[in-house]
Amino acid sequence: FGPDWQEDPRWQIHFCGIDLAAFERPADPGLRRALRLPEGRSIIGHVGRFEAQKNHAFLVEIAAELARTGAPVHFLLVGDGGLRATFDGEIARRGLGSMFTVVPRSADVPRLLALMDGFVFPSLYEGLGLAAVEAQAAGLPTLLSERVPEEATVEETLVRRLDLDAGAAAWAEAVAGLLAQGRREDAAFRRALAATPFNVAKSADGLINIYLEELNKDKVYALDNKRAA
């Protein structure tokens, strides 16, 4: 598109809209029991396939630091992939298996996000980081690596960014701060979220307008050709 694409009226960014209503449901205690999530522990979440990009190895380092401090936390990971077996072997080797629950696949990620108390996303790189957007839609305080694009910050009060080079101990401390902050579910937060371009209603309206503009251009073009003939 060229280095000056933003100056060209032909190009624009259209964000992927999500159904915000899906993230307003309360936590399902039956699902928590079915997943055998331990009582009395805060749930730290992550959604992403088990590939190098998502940096699950660093999640293990964070868990080790939290275990060392005795923090009452448990990790709920959603995803599968080529590095899943490596991950399972590493947490077993380090005696951290009891700190993790992995849900390989789910057709209802919002239902799982409702069980979480905080969200951690230490990606090495992202195109956007839609999982982080969805975590914020669920009201979760969210810790992002600085390599996640700024566009993934939807609600600034919920997001903290941290350099991966800060190390696992700093990330573990930041996670503890997230959990102390708590999630947001107030009406003002919901209204602010609905006004963002990630709201599927606004996204759909924007897409319809793009098509209508093109249809109108075609009509004008056809009318001009008819007059010229």
Side-chain angles (χ1 to χ4, degrees):
F1 298 99
D4 300 320
W5 67 269
Q6 289 173 301
E7 307 301 322
D8 190 324
R10 292 176 300 170
W11 315 130
Q12 60 182 292
I13 295 176
H14 190 76
F15 288 103
C16 179
I18 58 177
D19 179 8
L20 297 177
F23 298 90
E24 296 179 13
R25 291 174 295 178
D28 180 355
L31 179 59
R32 183 174 180 126
R33 288 191 297 270
L35 293 175
R36 298 182 180 178
L37 299 179
E39 296 295 333
R41 290 185 173 269
S42 297
I43 305 301
I44 302 167
H46 178 271
V47 178
R49 63 191 182 280
F50 280 78
E51 304 295 346
Q53 169 196 353
K54 301 299 182 180
N55 207 8
H56 287 84
F58 194 61
L59 285 177
V60 177
E61 298 299 328
I62 296 169
E65 285 294 330
L66 290 167
R68 185 182 62 80
T69 63
V73 299
H74 188 82
F75 286 79
L76 174 58
L77 311 185
V78 184
D80 206 350
L83 294 179
R84 170 67 191 280
T86 301
F87 172 84
D88 287 345
E90 182 63 11
I91 61 174
R93 184 185 72 79
R94 300 180 65 162
L96 300 171
S98 63
M99 289 185 69
F100 287 89
T101 296
V102 180
V103 179
R105 296 179 183 83
S106 175
D108 196 350
V109 170
R111 194 168 172 232
L112 292 167
L113 289 172
L115 299 176
M116 301 172 187
D117 300 296
F119 193 84
V120 181
F121 207 57
S123 298
L124 298 175
Y125 60 90
E126 290 286 345
L128 170 65
L130 189 60
V133 173
E134 292 181 334
Q136 293 166 73
L140 291 173
T142 302
L143 181 60
L144 304 179
S145 85
E146 289 189 343
R147 302 182 189 183
V148 177
E150 289 291 340
E151 287 84 354
T153 298
V154 180
E155 175 50 57
E156 291 185 357
T157 64
L158 288 174
V159 174
R160 179 178 175 184
R161 289 175 176 271
L162 195 57
D163 195 320
L164 292 172
D165 291 337
W171 275 70
E173 183 178 349
V175 166
L178 285 187
L179 298 175
Q181 177 181 341
R183 65 192 302 151
R184 287 196 63 180
E185 299 174 307
D186 55 279
F189 161 67
R190 290 294 169 195
R191 286 194 298 271
L193 208 60
T196 71
F198 291 104
N199 178 356
V200 71
K202 291 180 70 67
S203 181
D205 285 345
L207 189 59
I208 288 170
N209 287 335
I210 290 171
Y211 280 107
L212 289 175
E213 286 174 8
E214 292 305 312
L215 284 172
N216 287 333
K217 287 178 185 177
D218 287 344
K219 288 177 181 177
V220 170
Y221 178 76
L223 182 59
D224 287 345
N225 282 349
K226 184 176 180 181
R227 286 173 177 168

